[in-house]
Each structure stands twice: as C-alpha cells, then as structure tokens.
Amino acid sequence: MTTINALDQEALRTMYSSLMEEYDAFKAKNLSLNMARGKPSPEQLDLSMDLLNKIESINVKDSIDIRNYGGLDGLTEMKELFAQLLQVDTNEVIVGGNSSLSLMHDTISRALLKGVVDSDAPWVKAPKVKFLCPSPGYDRHFAICEMYDIEMITIDMLDDGPDMNQVEELVRNDDTIKGIWCVPKYSNPEGTTYSDEVVDRLANMETKAKDFRIFWDDAYTVHHLTDNPPALKNILKACKDAGNPNRVFIFASTSKVTFPGSGVAVIAASEENIGFTKKLLGVQTIGADKINQLRHVRFLKDAENVKLHMKKHAEIIKPKFDLVLNKLESEFGNDDIASWGKPEGGYFISLNTLDGCATEVVKLASEAGVTLTGAGATYPYGKDPRDRNIRIAPTFPGLTELEAAMDVFCLCVKLASIKKLLGQ
C-alpha cells in the first residue's frame, strides 16, 4: 500500500479533492462532538452514586464532630487510605478539598511568598524563578507558571520519562530553577510511566538551588487499562534514600475515581514539608470538607476496594481507547504522516502529525464540528515548537459519537498532511 508521503504531486492533488468531498459531507451534518478534555463519562460517574448515601453515622477515629470546624490535615481514615494508595506514612499526608490542582497552585503560591523548608528567602525574592516542564505535558501546570511569571523551560519527554541528561545539566548550574512538573504515571498526554532509573536520577541529582522541588502529580496512579499495569517506583522513598527527603511534593485526588467536582485531594511529602505546610495552611483554612472525606472513605474503604472500583472504570473506558487506537492503526498504520502512543492507563492518547500540521488539523476538525484540545496546549506558553502534537481525550463521548469524531479527526489529519506535502 502506497503511503501518502510517497505520492507524487498530481496524485496528492487528486486525493485531496476526493477527501475534501468527504470533509464537506461531514460539515453538512452539523456535528457537535467533543474530545477536548479528559472528563469521565456519565456512565463512569454512575459507578459512585452510592457514595452519596454513606453518612449513616458521624463517628470517626478522631472523635471530632465532622459537621464542625477542625481537622486541618484531614480525617485519619482518609489519610490512611491515601497513605495506602501512595505508599507513604499517614503522618506524611494532608487531605484537602476536591482539587489537587488547587493544592498545586497553593503550594506554588506559598513557596513564592514564604519559600519552602530549605529556602533562605521566599522564591519571589529571587531575580527569576524557573520551572522545568517535560513536554508534551499538562496545560494546567503550565498555566500556573504563566500566571505567576515563572519562566518555563521545555524538557523533552522520552519513552521512560523526561530527558534526564537535560534536567541534570540545567539544575546543576542554575539556582533560579526551583522545580519540575512531573506526571509520572500514564503522563498527560503521552501515557508514559517513569522508569526506575528516571525516578532515581530525579531523587539523586545535584541541584544548585538547595530548595528545588519536584511537583509529582500522580493523578493517574490507579487508572489502569490493563490487568498488569507498569510499576512506578516510590519517589518519596527514593528521595529519602538519596538524602533529599524534602525534595518532592506528591499530589493526587479521587477526581476521576468518584466525582471530579466533589472528590478529595491530597498532598504527600516528608514530615518536615508537611509540618511547614500545615503552619501556613492554618492561616488559609480551618479544614476541608470532612463530611465529604468520610463518605469517600466509607465508599472506597481501602486500596484493594479502590482497585476493584477502578476495574469498573476500565471496563467502560478501555473500549473507547481500543476504538481510537484501532482507528488510528487502520487509517495510518501503513502511512508515515502520524505517530501515536499506546497508553496502558490514564485518560489521553497523544498523537504527532507531520511537523507544522497540528494547528491546521485542530482548525479543520473544529469547522467540521469536532472540538479538540488546542494545538500547542501541551507545551509551555501554548507553543509547540514543531506544531505537531495533538491530545486526544476519548473518555467522555459514547462509542458512537467517538467513532464519528475519530472519522472526522483522521480525515483532517490526511487533509492537513497533504497540504503540507503540497507546500500549501
């Protein structure tokens, strides 16, 4: 089978005309399909409806009234559950509100204003604050940096995590580099799980900034699509073993486990980091929603029950991932105009077009009624240097809608690729 980029100019023009007829037919259908954000489907949300009926009593281990003030760092039961899931000690956990993104934002803002445990001064006192951003990465991480004028440095993502040669060279020589964003398991959007070597190098590397921090967004730690998921080495233990116990902040939540708008979030770190954070947090709040924490822990129970619950999620979303991957394989498997990852978990599939085509693909798809994450969103400042990466979010649409959206998407990739090859 002849690949598109092996065709001569005349054959490309002929194919383009034929594909445009298909494209115009899709436009005439007035579609309204969305693959822009990684949202659970209604069927996934239905899995957790029993959570709403879990407050038969208000008795908890702390012997406090969960309806009242108090409990700054969360209910003991909820801390114990997160400690199991993240493989940390209970006293290394603070349970917050519904959003891990809020915890990340607040941790950054506190560091800017007050520094961290190892700081000589608040970060904002430095002439410049910089963060390393493995990319493609999570647009909301980058948005926090952009809002606070933190300079972002793009780090290449490899098959086993960020390019550690780049990372080590940069942090060794620049004390204004204060942190790195990491989504270490089923990374957003690549679906990469960091190797043991990458975890160890992050924990052991020499940093010129003594108050350097790893922001470890373990958002998809239990979101497996296979029965034999890849293992992720314990970063907090690795940092302790390396003599850098305060180096990492770990974040997670139940957002895509139960209800994204009404979940429970957590920050885990060394006891010294936790103590420092609690002092500052005590000015901000008297405690998060303990009623929500209690109903979550009674619904989720323990790590083993979470595993069973997440299998139900996988039964719903794996067919959607399979549909997307099968469609990409059937449309581009014998071609050279697109490449993509095959994640074993998480919420996204990352696709690379020919250089310079991603913006055109997203534009064409939008005009045909299919909304995608904006081209460039997976890079700092929204600028993909090669304009090729597109994040596909297959979880929210139903299978029929998803198939229609993928038909449009694949058509748009072909159209944009042919325009590129024709030099238009």
Side-chain angles (χ1 to χ4, degrees):
M1 183 175 180
T2 304
T3 63
I4 285 178
N5 40 358
L7 298 175
D8 61 28
Q9 296 284 294
E10 182 178 354
L12 285 172
R13 282 190 286 268
T14 299
M15 178 179 282
Y16 187 80
S17 296
S18 175
L19 293 175
M20 276 304 298
E21 291 181 6
E22 292 183 44
Y23 179 73
D24 289 338
F26 274 119
K27 287 180 70 174
K29 293 181 179 180
N30 295 315
L31 299 172
S32 181
L33 306 170
N34 195 310
M35 292 195 298
R37 298 225 69 92
K39 293 171 61 176
S41 66
E43 292 80 9
Q44 289 176 263
L45 301 179
D46 287 343
L47 295 174
S48 299
M49 288 304 292
D50 284 350
L51 180 151
L52 300 177
N53 302 311
K54 290 298 180 181
I55 306 295
E56 303 92 352
S57 71
I58 59 171
N59 296 323
V60 295
K61 289 183 177 181
D62 299 318
S63 299
I64 62 172
D65 190 334
I66 63 169
R67 302 166 299 178
N68 216 324
Y69 292 128
L72 176 65
D73 54 355
L75 292 182
T76 295
E77 292 92 331
M78 196 73 233
K79 290 166 65 178
E80 289 172 346
L81 176 56
F82 274 127
Q84 289 179 41
L85 296 174
L86 299 176
Q87 297 180 317
V88 299
D89 292 335
T90 306
N91 55 2
E92 296 171 330
V93 169
I94 295 174
V95 182
N98 72 305
S99 170
S100 57
L101 184 64
S102 291
L103 292 179
M104 288 180 254
H105 168 274
D106 288 354
T107 303
I108 291 281
S109 63
R110 284 192 294 266
L112 287 169
L113 294 172
K114 293 293 184 180
V116 294
V117 167
D118 309 308
S119 298
D120 291 328
W123 286 3
V124 76
K125 298 289 187 181
K128 191 71 181 176
V129 177
K130 303 173 187 174
F131 254 64
L132 304 183
C133 300
S135 301
Y138 183 28
D139 53 332
R140 294 187 183 273
H141 290 162
F142 306 153
I144 293 173
C145 285
E146 195 162 4
M147 185 175 77
Y148 285 117
D149 296 321
I150 296 172
E151 181 180 324
M152 292 179 275
I153 302 172
T154 300
I155 301 295
D156 294 332
M157 275 292 288
L158 306 180
D159 290 340
D160 66 342
D163 184 334
M164 287 306 301
N165 291 333
Q166 288 183 334
V167 172
E168 289 167 340
E169 176 68 19
L170 287 164
V171 300
R172 184 186 303 118
N173 297 302
D174 189 346
D175 63 359
T176 66
I177 297 175
K178 296 295 189 180
I180 183 172
W181 290 111
C182 295
V183 182
K185 188 149 190 140
Y186 311 133
S187 65
N188 179 354
E190 297 280 86
T192 301
T193 297
Y194 289 14
S195 68
D196 290 358
E197 180 187 357
V198 166
V199 174
D200 283 336
R201 289 175 74 176
L202 285 166
N204 283 275
M205 64 188 181
E206 177 189 346
T207 64
K208 191 166 185 181
K210 67 179 183 180
D211 53 354
F212 178 89
R213 288 293 182 270
I214 300 168
F215 280 65
W216 195 256
D217 185 0
D218 206 0
Y220 306 109
T221 187
V222 295
H223 293 266
H224 315 304
L225 292 174
T226 69
D227 291 331
N228 297 296
L232 175 65
K233 188 166 185 176
N234 187 318
I235 183 66
L236 182 55
K237 184 177 186 303
C239 287
K240 290 176 181 178
D241 291 344
N244 298 309
N246 295 332
R247 177 166 287 181
V248 64
F249 290 120
I250 302 170
F251 303 90
S253 77
T254 68
S255 285
K256 294 181 177 73
V257 176
T258 56
F259 301 137
S262 306
V264 181
V266 63
I267 177 172
S270 68
E271 287 189 59
E272 193 173 3
N273 273 330
I274 291 296
F276 184 86
T277 301
K278 283 172 65 176
K279 287 180 182 177
L280 299 178
L281 193 62
V283 179
Q284 179 179 346
T285 180
I286 305 174
D289 184 346
K290 297 180 291 298
I291 293 175
N292 194 35
Q293 291 179 27
L294 182 59
R295 64 186 181 184
H296 267 81
V297 79
R298 286 183 176 169
F299 175 70
L300 295 172
K301 298 176 183 175
D302 54 32
E304 185 59 32
N305 199 58
V306 170
K307 182 178 178 180
L308 296 174
H309 181 71
M310 295 312 296
K311 283 191 173 183
K312 297 176 185 177
H313 278 276
E315 289 170 2
I316 294 171
I317 67 174
K318 189 176 186 302
K320 299 180 181 183
F321 276 77
D322 290 344
L323 185 156
V324 171
L325 294 172
N326 290 336
K327 181 71 70 173
L328 294 175
E329 183 64 33
S330 66
E331 294 290 338
F332 306 121
N334 295 310
D335 224 317
D336 300 317
I337 61 173
S339 60
W340 57 93
K342 298 178 181 179
E344 296 180 83
Y347 259 62
F348 304 101
I349 295 170
S350 179
L351 179 136
N352 287 326
T353 65
L354 297 177
D355 286 4
C357 289
T359 298
E360 179 69 8
V361 170
V362 173
K363 176 177 175 290
L364 287 168
S366 176
E367 292 172 356
V370 175
T371 302
L372 299 167
T373 302
T378 56
Y379 282 79
Y381 308 107
K383 296 177 181 178
D384 177 353
R386 297 176 65 177
D387 188 23
R388 66 173 187 158
N389 186 253
I390 298 174
R391 186 180 74 180
I392 301 171
T395 55
F396 186 75
L399 286 170
T400 301
E401 290 182 334
L402 182 61
E403 184 168 21
M406 286 303 301
D407 287 339
V408 174
F409 174 76
C410 291
L411 179 59
C412 294
V413 171
K414 291 178 182 178
L415 287 170
S417 301
I418 293 173
K419 284 183 69 176
K420 166 82 173 181
L421 295 170
L422 287 171
Q424 296 179 4

